[in-house]
Amino acid sequence: MILVTGASGQLGHALAKRLAARGATFTAVQRPDFDFEKAETVASCFENAKPSLVINAAAYTAVDKAETDQEAAKAGNHTGPLALAKLCEAADIPFIHVSTDYVFDGDKGAPYLESDPTSPTGVYGATKRDGEEAILATNAKAIILRTAWVYSAHGKNFARTMINAGRKMPILRVVADQRGTPTAAGDLADAILAIADKISATGWRPEYRGIFHATGGGETTWHGFATAIFEDAAKQGYQPPEVQPIATADWPTPTRRPPDSRLDGGKLTKVFGVTMPAWRQSLHDVVKDLLKPENTA
Ligand SMILES: NC(=O)c1ccc[n+]([C@@H]2O[C@H](COP(=O)([O-])OP(=O)(O)OC[C@H]3O[C@@H](n4cnc5c(N)ncnc54)[C@H](OP(=O)(O)O)[C@@H]3O)[C@@H](O)[C@H]2O)c1
């Protein structure tokens, strides 16, 4: 039995869809039944599922709001996941947790390795980093996947925002001096399930424990991402807006974003044999889905 948390989110939704398609035995839980701010719901979902593996896709993900909503961010990213990790540790089962490129300040100037020191620039990144450290200090069978710029046809994300904004405005201004890698939620779900398959096939191995970087292959900027979204949308008959490049300084946000948060995925390939698809390849299908009337929000 696999327990998936955060089923209403982008990653949780993609995981549940794939597990259902495989005919897997799983339970996918979400708020209000599973809420990191209500410890008893975490314990009862775990007890009801009696899982052999937990995949935590639940998190507090509102980066800017976290600056003024620190207790909720801490519960969603640190103390809540830690409570879940403790339950996994007591049951001696693997715990797959998801973290973020925002644990880094983005000043390295090259793709980050898992061994690089963290230096978050805001509350969201700091709570995710604290969660990583607490889980690794607690759980002998913890796998933490750091991802970035997650998008899908389900839920709130940059791709949906661009498609919606482009319907209303002829010109969009998008930041062109932040580098990173978009990650399709479906690709991340596939990587997680490949890891789960590997654990089932080999049994737990010591090298599985720890942090792994898991983003789409390649790199771009938010401006490059937006341009590609509209290129693919135009192929579906969407009328694209003009996308103008701007500097981060022209788009101030409460939390400073890392200027270059590229993550090196080599360890994921070496240990699990998993290489994430190039971000540009995955985009096309998601944009196609986003343009379907049922996904227009
Ligand atoms: N989105 C990105 O660009 C991005 C980038 C880097 C890393 N990540 C990480 O990737 C993972 C998956 O992100 P995502 O994009 O799928 O996020 P998402 O779409 O925002 O979904 C987050 C999920 O967590 C749930 N949640 C929020 N607070 C909770 C709480 N206190 N207790 C229980 N559930 C709670 C949400 O429930 P509701 O629907 O009820 O709010 C939702 O199901 C997260 O660990 C995130 O930090 C995401």
Side-chain angles (χ1 to χ4, degrees):
M1 165 67 75
I2 299 176
L3 175 62
V4 176
T5 66
S8 61
Q10 299 190 80
L11 176 61
H13 179 82
L15 282 164
K17 202 169 153 186
R18 280 159 174 72
L19 286 164
R22 284 172 165 216
T25 309
F26 75 102
T27 306
V29 293
Q30 64 191 51
R31 293 196 283 191
D33 302 334
F34 177 94
D35 189 339
F36 281 137
E37 293 190 69
K38 295 184 182 124
E40 67 283 5
T41 64
V42 177
S44 66
C45 284
F46 190 92
E47 177 56 33
N48 291 340
K50 299 191 177 26
S52 51
L53 167 70
V54 173
I55 304 172
N56 180 34
Y60 185 102
T61 57
V63 175
D64 290 321
K65 199 170 161 217
E67 299 297 326
T68 51
D69 201 12
Q70 299 191 5
E71 283 308 309
K74 186 176 177 184
N77 295 336
H78 174 192
T79 52
L82 174 59
L84 189 55
K86 283 182 178 167
L87 292 167
C88 293
E89 175 63 13
D92 192 27
I93 61 166
F95 179 52
I96 301 181
H97 176 72
V98 183
S99 190
T100 173
D101 56 333
Y102 283 16
V103 299
F104 296 118
D105 59 20
D107 294 332
K108 182 181 174 184
Y112 281 96
L113 298 171
E114 290 81 351
S115 52
D116 283 327
T118 55
S119 179
T121 60
V123 170
Y124 168 73
T127 56
K128 293 295 284 187
R129 190 268 318 273
D130 292 348
E132 290 183 353
E133 291 180 352
I135 289 164
L136 284 176
T138 301
N139 197 304
K141 294 181 177 172
I143 296 171
I144 297 176
L145 298 175
R146 286 191 190 132
T147 193
W149 297 21
V150 179
Y151 70 100
S152 72
H154 171 92
K156 271 175 70 175
N157 58 72
F158 181 81
R160 181 188 297 285
T161 302
M162 287 296 108
I163 292 286
N164 287 346
R167 286 201 170 100
K168 294 177 203 139
M169 289 180 273
I171 298 174
L172 299 181
R173 299 161 74 235
V174 183
V175 171
D177 58 0
Q178 290 171 25
R179 296 165 83 186
T181 312
T183 306
D187 289 345
L188 184 58
D190 287 339
I192 289 172
L193 296 182
I195 290 170
D197 289 344
K198 181 103 178 175
I199 298 170
S200 295
T202 64
W204 182 263
R205 287 185 176 164
E207 65 266 30
Y208 295 166
R209 181 182 142 79
I211 296 175
F212 297 83
H213 288 171
T215 61
E219 65 174 275
T220 187
T221 64
W222 291 109
H223 178 267
F225 189 18
T227 303
I229 290 164
F230 292 123
E231 263 171 30
D232 285 354
K235 289 180 197 147
Q236 307 295 321
Y238 175 100
Q239 182 65 41
E242 181 187 338
V243 187
Q244 292 180 350
I246 57 166
T248 299
D250 297 325
W251 194 266
T253 51
T255 304
R256 175 184 176 261
R257 279 11 184 210
D260 179 357
S261 65
R262 290 171 294 152
L263 303 181
D264 184 312
K267 187 181 168 199
L268 184 71
T269 304
K270 191 166 161 231
V271 174
F272 290 110
V274 172
T275 302
M276 304 274 289
W279 75 268
R280 189 67 190 84
Q281 277 173 22
S282 301
L283 181 63
H284 181 73
D285 286 347
V286 178
V287 169
K288 209 169 161 182
D289 278 352
L290 263 172
L291 291 172
K292 288 182 180 160
E294 65 265 31
N295 289 326
T296 304

